[in-house]
Amino acid sequence: MKTERLPAIIMILLDKKQISASQLAEMLEVSVRTIYRDINSLGEAGIPVTSFPGVNGGIQIMDNYKIDKQFFTSSDITSLLIALESLSNNVSPLQLNQTFEKIKTLVPTQFLEEIEFKTNQIAIDLTPWTSNQTLQPFLEIIKVAMDQHQLLYFNYEDNQGKKTSRTVEPYRLVLKEISWYLQAYCNEKNDFRTFKVSRMNELTLLSTKFEPQKFQPKPLGKEPFYGKQFTMTTLEITHKIKDQLVDKFGQLNFSPSSNSEKLIVEFPFMEDEFGYNLLLGFGNQCECIEPQHVRTELKRRIEHLLELYQE
C-alpha cells in the first residue's frame, strides 16, 4: 500500500543517500512509474526529494533533512519497538540499544510514557526453551560477512549425516519457526543453497571479498509442509496436546470422545518421517484410530523402538 511505501522510501533514502528508481522499484516490488508517483507525493508533502538523470544519477534526499517527529504516529513507533524487542536475543545488545535510542528521538516527549506502556503490553519471545551457545556468535559472524561482502567457510552436516566443507557468498538470514537458515551462493555447487545454521561447524569469516550477484529471495521450499500429500487421519488425544496441534496446524475440528477425558480430531497427516515422528512424539497422549495402514505403521515403529531397549 502507498501509505506503507512512503515511510519505507524515506528510510531507504536516508540510509543509502542515493538510489535509482529501478532499484527502489525492485526493493518495494512495484513498477518504476509507481516509484516516481510516490516521489511526487513526498515532494507535495514537503519532503525534499530530488532526482538526477544520467548514469550516475538517481533519487536522493537533501543531506540536512531530518524526519519531522510528527511523521510517525505513536502506533507506528510502538510497532517498531515491539519488532525490535523480538530480536533482542539475536542482535548484539549494543547495536539494539543504539537503535532503540535513535527511534526514541522520533517520539515527542509527551508521548514517551504512552508508547512505553503500549510496548510493554505485547511481548514476542522467539528464543527456544533451551539455548544454543554457538548460535549468537555464528549469527554475528554471518551478519558481518553479509555487510562486508566477505566469503564464509564452514563444515556442514546435512540431515542425512553427510559431512562437507563449503565456501559461500552469504546473502540472507531467515528465521523459520525456531531455526535460523543462511541463503548463500555455494562455490562448491556453483548455485544458491540454503544452509541450516545449527548444522554448521568451524564457521570462519574469510578475508576474501566477493562481488554480490543478483540474489532472488526464495521461501524455504524444502520445509515439510510444502508440496506434500496429506492423509486425513482420526486421532484420539488428551487435552494436554490440543494446543500443540492448533499451534502447528491452525484450527482443527475437535469433538468429545466416548472417553470423556479425551478428544477426537480429524488430522491432516503426512506419511513421511516428519509425520510419523510427530505422532510418536506425543507418546501416550495420542492414538491413531484410522486409517488402519497408518496405525499399523505406527505399531511397527513402536515395536522396533522397543527392540532397542530389550537388547
Side-chain angles (χ1 to χ4, degrees):
M1 294 177 63
K2 183 176 180 179
T3 54
E4 297 173 344
R5 285 197 311 274
L6 297 184
I9 290 174
I10 293 175
M11 292 294 104
I12 292 170
L13 293 178
L14 288 173
D15 178 54
K16 295 185 176 296
K17 306 301 182 184
Q18 182 172 300
I19 189 172
S20 69
S22 59
Q23 288 175 309
L24 266 178
E26 183 176 352
M27 293 172 69
L28 300 175
E29 298 181 345
V30 295
S31 67
V32 172
R33 180 177 296 180
T34 297
I35 290 297
Y36 279 120
R37 284 200 297 265
D38 289 344
I39 296 302
N40 288 335
S41 297
L42 290 174
E44 292 171 359
I47 298 172
V49 179
T50 57
S51 60
F52 299 91
V55 177
N56 297 318
I59 300 169
Q60 69 178 49
I61 200 165
M62 289 178 59
D63 291 338
N64 61 352
Y65 175 72
K66 293 184 179 180
I67 296 178
D68 188 334
K69 291 185 178 182
Q70 301 296 334
F71 185 81
F72 287 101
T73 66
S74 61
S75 295
D76 293 333
I77 300 296
T78 300
S79 297
L80 286 170
L81 292 176
I82 290 173
L84 282 174
E85 185 66 32
S86 71
L87 297 174
S88 60
N89 290 286
N90 296 309
V91 178
S92 65
L94 177 60
Q95 179 183 352
L96 188 64
N97 289 336
Q98 290 174 343
T99 305
F100 268 119
E101 292 307 313
K102 288 180 181 179
I103 290 179
K104 286 181 179 179
T105 62
L106 302 174
V107 183
T109 306
Q110 65 268 31
F111 294 139
L112 268 175
E113 186 175 343
E114 175 193 352
I115 287 174
E116 289 180 355
F117 175 76
K118 288 183 177 179
T119 302
N120 289 330
Q121 287 180 322
I122 300 176
I124 303 174
D125 188 351
L126 299 177
T127 58
W129 291 104
T130 56
S131 61
N132 182 341
Q133 298 299 320
T134 63
L135 178 61
Q136 182 61 38
F138 276 21
L139 293 179
E140 293 299 326
I141 291 172
I142 293 170
K143 284 187 285 186
V144 170
M146 291 191 296
D147 185 56
Q148 302 296 327
H149 304 313
Q150 290 177 244
L151 294 177
L152 285 172
Y153 170 86
F154 53 86
N155 293 326
Y156 193 72
E157 182 174 348
D158 65 18
N159 59 2
Q160 301 298 319
K162 181 181 178 182
K163 297 180 180 180
T164 57
S165 296
R166 305 295 183 101
T167 301
V168 305
E169 301 173 5
Y171 287 94
R172 190 188 193 207
L173 273 171
V174 181
L175 177 62
K176 179 73 172 180
E177 290 193 343
I178 63 171
S179 300
W180 282 95
Y181 297 85
L182 171 65
Q183 294 183 328
Y185 184 85
C186 178
N187 289 348
E188 281 70 27
K189 299 297 183 181
N190 294 318
D191 198 3
F192 287 97
R193 291 287 190 272
T194 298
F195 302 95
K196 194 172 185 178
V197 176
S198 62
R199 293 180 184 149
M200 296 179 180
N201 286 297
E202 299 182 25
L203 179 65
T204 305
L205 178 66
L206 302 179
S207 59
T208 307
K209 299 267 188 176
F210 65 90
E211 187 68 29
Q213 304 181 54
K214 184 176 177 59
F215 169 69
Q216 183 65 42
K218 296 180 180 179
L220 299 183
K222 63 180 183 180
E223 288 298 289
F225 303 117
Y226 287 87
K228 295 288 186 178
Q229 295 295 321
F230 292 99
T231 299
M232 293 308 297
T233 62
T234 302
L235 305 179
E236 185 177 58
I237 67 168
T238 65
H239 286 269
K240 291 182 179 180
I241 65 169
K242 177 182 177 181
D243 60 336
Q244 295 181 48
L245 292 176
V246 172
D247 286 343
K248 282 185 174 292
F249 301 97
Q251 291 297 326
L252 300 170
N253 293 320
F254 296 93
S255 59
S257 170
S258 56
N259 181 337
S260 60
E261 297 181 356
K262 294 186 178 182
L263 299 168
I264 295 294
V265 59
E266 295 297 315
F267 179 72
F269 177 70
M270 293 175 290
E271 296 189 48
D272 58 7
E273 288 299 312
F274 175 86
Y276 282 107
N277 289 339
L278 175 69
L279 293 188
L280 291 172
F282 291 134
N284 64 359
Q285 305 296 314
C286 171
E287 179 184 357
C288 175
I289 305 302
E290 57 182 24
Q292 185 60 45
H293 74 275
V294 173
R295 183 181 173 88
T296 300
E297 176 61 17
L298 284 167
K299 289 174 63 177
R300 186 192 69 80
R301 290 172 181 249
I302 293 170
E303 291 168 355
H304 179 66
L305 180 62
L306 183 60
E307 290 174 2
L308 295 178
Y309 291 91
Q310 290 178 335
E311 295 178 356

